[in-house]
Structures are given as structure tokens and as C-alpha cells.
Amino acid sequence: MTSQRRRAVVLLLAPITLLLGAFFLIPLGIMVVYSLLEPGLYGGVVWSFYPYSYGRVFGWPLGGGEEFEPLYIQIILNSVYYAVITVIVSLIVCYPVAFWVSRMGPVAKNLVLFAITLPFFANLLVRIYAWLLLLRPTGAINTALMSLGLIDAPLNMIFTEFAVIVGLVYVLIPFMFLPIYASVERLDWSLVQASQDLGATPFQTFRRVILPLTAPGIAGGAVIVFIPALGNFIVPAFLGGSKVQMTGNVIERQFLQSRNWPFGSTLAMIVMASVLVLILLYALWMRRAGKSQPVGEVGHA
Amino acid sequence: MRHASDHELLRVDNVRKSFRTPESGVVTPLDGITLSIRNNEFLTLLGPSGCGKTTLLKTIAGFEDLDEGEIYLDGRPMSGVPAHRRPFNTVFQNYALFPHMTVAGNVGYGLQVAGVPRAEEATRVADVLRLVGLSGLERRKPAQLSGGQQQRVALARALVNRPRVLLLDESLSALDRKLRQSMQIELKNLQHTVGITFIFVTHDQEEALTMSDRIAVMDKGRILQLGTPAEIYDQPASRFVAGFIGTSNIFTGTLTQDNGAARVQVAGGPAIAVTAGGFTAGEQVDVMLRPEHFALVPGGNAASGSIVAVIENIVFVGTDLHLHGRLGNGMPVMALERHARAAGGLNLKAGQTVTLHYQATSPHLMKSGAA
Ligand SMILES: Nc1ncnc2c1ncn2[C@@H]1O[C@H](COP(=O)(O)OP(=O)(O)OP(=O)(O)O)[C@@H](O)[C@H]1O
Ligand SMILES: [Mg+2]
């Protein structure tokens, strides 16, 4: 690029960059700062350095009502666990379905893709409330199972881990499906034939050709399901009742009920930091996978 | 040294295959193909684009189910045998190299899935890469190779497994002339030393003529003629086949017989003296004369066994001159003259009238209008 063109590009990109910067970085900066400020007595903050919010999570509390509480780490780990299960379940559902859909005729294919994006048109709260109606003891599922005589008493589904995971999977599954579907659709079927032609069994073909070539879709889907699952608070609030807590709920309560903004910010920062570390690990892993074969010089042997 | 034996290795028996297409409904790339391939034979499929060559290879390899018919290997029906259990390897028209594996990984793949020990795999991969001239590129990914290099990887990947039958789909097309010739020699060597049977698709008629034990000329899902290169060249079954191999002059006319002298009377043109074996007087026939059948004499002296033409264009191609001319009635004709002879006193020029003599046994008769 000539320097003139580069200048033009900078000029063109400047407004959008500033806008994005304003909308993403400033709130983030506020969170960072708040997490290190002293909570005001009746909400708000007092402008003095105060590392004890972190202390409450990791073990150097100020004392006097602000105690070290291992429960917070426990809840964060629990949230990671729910997020991981959500990723695994949606992966197991989406991967085979993606292959099935990719082999459909064009009309059926578009219909399915439309159906998968359809839930986005309805309000999230309404959709989750629908699950509440489905899962509760007098709900549709229990009623159906009992009238079929499969069970005697209603199953206890609502306000359990199970309900939360069902809800998370339900909300996030499109985000798993779309990247996987894209990578499956892009998969060159002649490579599968080449593998068979060279004598590979169906399992060998899957493990050595299909899986590696669709791995980017799997990884992409996993990341964009994991992150919102980890921070989700609506699903556990509706379907988890008081039994299932996720960090999202705790953070929400700090902001809206306890009005301890610094502590809410602290928890949010911790969750964000762990996500960033995970993504970093993922990126490093991808780079290593891509680099495991050195590029070598291009030229004739 | 092994030679194609009479033992039948592969039999394609009345195979039919159609596809539904989005635009026109149905195409039938295999419309009743029957083919017997001998052990250790080099068989070439020749035909225009879209005539079903790739589809035939794919049905043999096991990637397409047959609508009708059966394929036998050593007399054993193959329809229940999945592709990965067939002792065939394919070099795909689009190469189909695994993008996430190195050259060595691609070539070694067949050995790895077969459970060949690592050490043996390494030596065999190194050997075959040397054979195709790719030593030193083992660690490259396919995207880092030129088209011709990719094609050679595809070839090596199939060769390394020493299959019974090697299916090659235009597998030398991306190579330069020199490399292509050396690969042709290598393939012929392999045919003789290892005893692989080849089914080879090419658009290069010279390649077809030099490499093949037999050639099958296909069109629209059918085999029009199956024979040795010389048979196809000298006695094509139809105008289509003749046009596909070599250059030819083909005239349509009516066969006449008088006093044992057979001629083909071309409408508004010359009468061509022929040997009428197998045809009867009054029949519409195509008569073929190859450019090298003509012996050229300056001046227009029409007699039996010759035609008179005016030279329009002289193309120098090295050892030969290609003479493009027209008959009295405007029909194009092409003749061949050795450059050495032409230079040594013939002094040919455009606009010159010449007489083209031929032997009465040279013209080849074909049914007119035959596919
Ligand atoms: N999967 C398919 N679905 C529909 N039509 C197909 C399919 N595969 C091949 N065809 C059609 O069948 C015909 C034969 O195709 P094929 O690939 O066998 O041709 P080919 O002889 O190999 O041609 P080329 O020399 O161009 O490679 C073509 O008209 C093609 O469009
Ligand atoms: Mg083809």
C-alpha cells in the first residue's frame, strides 16, 4: 500500500474506530476502575483505592462485614462447569445435525436454517418462560408423561441443574450450529472420497479427514457458546430458582440489590479475565496446530 | 517384463448411471457401458468433455452406485464392496489432496490406514516421491505447491499403495511437456515392473496413442469404439472417432461400383477410388483419407486415385509441412509433406495447384451418419 492509500484507510476507519472505542472501552475502563474503588455506604463509590473487593474472593478481606467467602470461587467454578456442559451438549446435538442438513436439498436446507434462526425473532424472556411452563410439575412434559403412564409422580425438573442446562443449551444452540454448519458445508466431499479410495475405514476417514477439517467450526462454536453461557443470568434466574446460582446472578444482585458496584465489577472482571485466559489458550493452541508443519521456502526443489 | 495378458481382470457389464440435474432433468453419463479390462493392461478412455469418463472411473472406484449393470473384479461382483475395500486407487481430476496434511502425510496416508510399519512407510514414501521428482518437498502443505507439483503428489499418493488397478483422471494434464513425458515413461515402466493395470483418462490424443494398449472412445455415455491405438487410428468406426484421433479428411458420398472398380462419388466433388469391403453400391458412406496418405505432385492432373487441390496455406511444424487446400468445389482438404522433400525442389507456394495421389487401399470407409 502506498502511504497515500494508507492515510485514506486510516481516515476512513477513524470514525468507526472511535465509536467502537467509546462504546466498548469506556464502559470496560469504568468497570476496571470501579472494581478497585471503595463501595459507598448507600450505593455509589468512594474515590479511594480499595483492593479488598478482590480480597473477598481470593482471601485478603478488609473484615467488618466484608469477609473472605470461598463461595464466590465455588460459584465461578460452577458457572464454568455449566458452560462446559452446555458446550458439550450443544456440540453433540449440532455436529451430526449439521451433516444431515448439509446433505439436504436446497429448499429443505433453507427451511431448516430459517427454523434455527426463528427463535431470535421472539423475546428471550418469553422463550425462557415457555420452558418454565414445560418443566414445572404441572407442566406439559410431566402431564404428558403421567397421562402416558410412564411415571406416577411428576418429575422434579424445574429449579434444578438440569433445567438450567436445558435452558442454556436451548438459548445458545444456534450459536453452536451456525459455525459448525458453515465448516461442514465447506468440507470438500471429494477429500472424503479420496480417503476411502486410499483404503481408510469410515472411522479412520472421520478421525483423520472430517474431524480435522471441521475443527475450526467446532472451536468457533465452542467459544461463542461458552462465553455467553458463563455470564448468563436470565436462564438460572428463571429456571434455576434459588438452588442454581451462576456468576451472572451474583453480579446482577451486587449491582441491583446490594448496590455494591465495586464488588459486582470485581466479579465481572474475574469472569472476564478467566474467559480471556481461555481464549488465549485456544488461540495459542490453534497457532501451534497451524504451525506444526513449518511453512518452508516456496520455490522449486 | 510383464505384458497385458488375456486374463480378464475387470469387467464392466452393461453399466447404466443417470443423474438428476437442476436445469434439464436427467443426464445419463453411463448409458450401457460394457468393457473388459485385461490384467496388466493400459486402457485409455478418450472422449469429449462431459461424455462420462470421470463418472465411469467413479463407479469403478465405488463412489457412485450403479442404476443398472455390475462391475466384476476377477469375476467377483463389486456392487456390495465399499470403496475403501476395493483394491483400486484413483488419481482424482481435481487432485483432492488433504489440505491439512503435508506432502509426506498425504502420500503416506494409504499406508498409515493400512497399518504399514512407520519405517517401511518412510522408505516407500521417500521412494515414490523420488520417482515423481518431489524429494525435498515432504514438509510442504498442498497449498504451498504449484499445480503440477500437486498433481504429482496425487499420483504418488495413489502409486505408493501398489493397487491392482490405478484409475487416472487426466493425471498428467498439469505437467509441462518434458515432465509429462518422463512421467509417461515411469507409468509404462510401472505397468511392466509392478504389474499395475491402468485405466487412464486423457484429452491428449498423442498421449493416448503412445501410452495405451487399447483405447476406448466414448461419447454421450457410450463406448463408440474399443481397440488398439493402430486400429482406432487406421480403422475408425465413424466420422466422430476419426475426428477424435489424428487429423483426417472425411468426405461423404455415394458408393458406386462399376466393373469391379469401387468409387465414392462426393456430391459436387471428386470420385474417390476405394476398396469397398463390407459396403454395397448405392450406400451413403463417409470416406476418410489421412493427410499422410497423399503423395503430392505439382500441377492439376486429375486421374483415378488422385484429387486436385489449390494450396491456400502452408504451415511449417518442423519435420513436416501441413498443407491446407481446397478442392474444386470448395471443400477443404489437408495434406502432409516432408519438409526435407518440399525444400528439396518442390518449392510449394500458396495459390499453387497440386494433385494429391493416394493408394486405392488407403481410403477408409465408414457408415455415414453413424454415431
Ligand atoms: N453428481 C452429478 N450430478 C449431476 N450431474 C452430474 C454429476 N456428475 C456428473 N454429472 C454430469 O454427467 C456428465 C458426465 O460427467 P463426467 O464428469 O463423467 O464427464 P467427463 O467425461 O469426465 O468430462 P471431462 O472431460 O470434462 O472431465 C456431465 O454432463 C456432468 O454434468
Ligand atoms: Mg472428467
Side-chain angles (χ1 to χ4, degrees), chain B residues 280-307:
Chain B
T280 53
E283 219 175 326
Q284 277 286 109
V285 291
D286 286 335
V287 54
M288 177 192 81
L289 275 160
R290 295 281 185 193
E292 67 272 20
H293 286 151
F294 293 123
L296 181 146
V297 176
N301 238 328
S304 182
S306 69
I307 51 179

Side-chain angles (χ1 to χ4, degrees), chain B residues 218 245 269 297:
Chain B
M218 288 179 67
I245 282 253
V297 176

Side-chain angles (χ1 to χ4, degrees), chain B residues 19-21 27 29 48-55 64 93 170 203:
Chain B
F19 290 112
R20 222 169 271 287
T21 60
V27 285
S49 184
C51 72
K53 305 179 295 292
T54 297
T55 309
E64 301 282 1
Q93 194 167 7
E170 299 183 31
H203 278 293

Side-chain angles (χ1 to χ4, degrees), chain B residues 142-181:
Chain B
Q144 299 163 338
L145 299 174
S146 76
Q149 289 168 337
Q150 292 179 24
Q151 194 163 45
R152 282 179 283 158
V153 174
L155 203 53
R157 184 175 69 173
L159 282 175
V160 78
N161 305 300
R162 298 179 194 143
R164 295 282 299 278
V165 181
L166 196 54
L167 308 169
L168 299 161
D169 201 346
E170 299 183 31
S171 301
L172 305 179
S173 60
L175 307 183
D176 64 53
R177 194 180 162 80
K178 209 166 134 240
L179 202 50
R180 178 193 289 231
Q181 281 173 349

Side-chain angles (χ1 to χ4, degrees), chain A residues 188 190-191 193-202 204-205 208-209 212-213 290 293-295 297-301, chain B residues 63 84 88-90 92 94 96-102 109-110 112-113 135 137 139-141 144 149 157 161:
Chain A
D188 180 356
S190 72
L191 298 177
Q193 292 191 341
S195 172
Q196 294 172 343
D197 186 72
L198 292 164
T201 62
Q204 284 170 322
T205 299
R208 307 198 40 169
V209 176
L213 290 176
Q293 271 81 33
V295 174
E297 283 140 60
V298 179
H300 279 278
Chain B
F63 301 129
H84 71 272
F88 310 148
N89 280 141
T90 310
F92 293 86
N94 64 354
L97 299 179
F98 304 124
H100 58 300
M101 296 181 198
T102 59
Y109 188 84
Q112 288 162 20
V113 297
S135 301
L137 302 192
R139 287 150 67 92
R140 295 258 189 105
K141 292 277 185 68
Q144 299 163 338
Q149 289 168 337
R157 184 175 69 173
N161 305 300

Side-chain angles (χ1 to χ4, degrees), chain A residues 129-200:
Chain A
Y129 199 75
W131 275 105
L132 191 78
L133 299 182
L134 281 173
L135 294 176
R136 63 183 180 182
T138 55
I141 294 176
N142 274 319
T143 314
L145 288 178
M146 291 212 321
S147 62
L148 284 175
L150 291 173
I151 50 172
D152 297 329
L155 292 175
N156 181 26
M157 290 185 292
I158 196 68
F159 307 140
T160 63
E161 264 182 33
F162 169 76
V164 171
I165 285 168
V166 165
L168 286 174
V169 168
Y170 165 73
V171 171
L172 297 172
I173 212 162
F175 299 103
M176 179 64 88
F177 183 80
L178 294 174
I180 288 186
Y181 175 74
S183 74
V184 167
E185 188 79 340
R186 226 177 310 127
L187 179 71
D188 180 356
W189 215 250
S190 72
L191 298 177
V192 175
Q193 292 191 341
S195 172
Q196 294 172 343
D197 186 72
L198 292 164

